[in-house]
Amino acid sequence: DRPHTDLFRIDSKKWRIDLLLASDYGSSPMTVRQYKEKSGALLVINGGFFNELFRSLGLLVRRGKVLNPIRETTWGIFLLKGKEKGASIISRRDWSSSDLSSTTLAIQVGPRLVIDGKIPSFKESVPTRRSAIGITKEGSVLIALTEEAVNLGEWAQLLSQECPWALNLDGGGSSQIAVKMGSFSLNVEGLTAVPNALGVFS
């Protein structure tokens, strides 16, 4: 049986996906519900990694501006290049700062779970709740969160059924999502507040 998983397919040409930082609101780290309330987003999911001082780790770019520097790791990068070019997931070595002017969003996190339809080998870890962002065959952005503990291999296998490209977001106690679209609402709380998140806007 597949673990209980919340999946949302977002057409990035019709919906705006944006990077949210707690510092935007002069706040310490926040829950995704707080991000949603303060930003007016329809959906918010936790974003990238951070240290014990709640400082973000890894590349963060918003509307062509680097908000946090790239990290020399094997993590992947989720990119949005505007409405026409859409979304992509690339490796660290494929990132170029010359692309900044056309980059509306970039977040570096990992590992990459599905690469061109294939599941890579990665160091397995203990089962935990997980969240991810992916790209479907049709080019839509997939936002996913499993409410049950799974290991990385199970998570990658599940996501590979939905999309040929997928990137793990920060997991464990950070995994959380808040959604309010019309009459539909969902709030899966995490165990910790987070310094950055991804929001979806109409």
Side-chain angles (χ1 to χ4, degrees):
D1 289 343
R2 184 162 101 169
H4 183 87
T5 306
D6 304 306
L7 300 173
F8 297 88
R9 293 174 184 83
I10 310 294
D11 184 342
S12 61
K13 295 181 180 179
K14 296 180 180 179
W15 303 81
R16 178 168 63 89
I17 303 172
D18 212 346
L19 177 66
L20 305 175
L21 302 180
S23 57
D24 294 337
Y25 306 97
S27 174
S28 55
M30 302 191 297
T31 66
V32 294
R33 187 197 292 219
Q34 291 172 316
Y35 279 108
K36 187 174 73 65
E37 291 171 351
K38 290 178 180 290
S39 69
L42 301 175
L43 178 156
V44 179
I45 191 167
N46 63 284
F49 298 126
F50 52 92
N51 65 17
E52 64 277 3
L53 298 176
F54 292 96
R55 290 177 180 152
S56 297
L57 301 174
L59 179 70
L60 295 175
V61 176
R62 183 170 55 192
R63 292 185 282 283
K65 182 179 180 181
V66 176
L67 304 180
N68 209 64
I70 197 159
R71 194 172 177 88
E72 295 298 331
T73 72
T74 58
W75 303 345
I77 300 171
F78 173 80
L79 282 177
L80 275 178
K81 289 283 197 172
K83 291 185 177 181
E84 298 310 313
K85 294 185 178 179
S88 60
I89 292 173
I90 64 171
S91 69
R92 157 68 185 88
R93 65 180 176 273
D94 290 332
W95 165 256
S96 171
S97 58
S98 63
D99 296 336
L100 268 178
S101 61
S102 61
T103 301
T104 57
L105 184 155
I107 182 168
Q108 183 187 18
V109 64
R112 290 188 292 166
L113 298 167
V114 189
I115 303 172
D116 199 14
K118 297 180 176 64
I119 298 173
S121 60
F122 33 64
K123 185 178 179 181
E124 198 49 87
S125 60
V126 297
T128 188
R129 197 160 73 184
R130 300 187 185 277
S131 50
I133 192 163
I135 303 167
T136 68
K137 292 178 182 177
E138 298 75 31
S140 294
V141 173
L142 185 85
I143 290 175
L145 180 141
T146 174
E147 296 188 31
E148 299 173 32
V150 296
N151 62 38
L152 276 174
E154 292 174 308
W155 189 219
Q157 187 63 45
L158 188 155
L159 292 167
S160 71
Q161 299 169 29
E162 304 289 339
C163 44
W165 299 91
L167 180 67
N168 203 50
L169 296 175
D170 193 9
S174 296
S175 284
Q176 54 194 288
I177 193 169
V179 188
K180 183 70 172 76
M181 294 182 175
S183 60
F184 176 81
S185 63
L186 172 71
N187 186 61
V188 180
E189 295 185 358
L191 299 178
T192 182
V194 294
N196 65 75
L198 295 171
V200 178
F201 298 80
S202 59

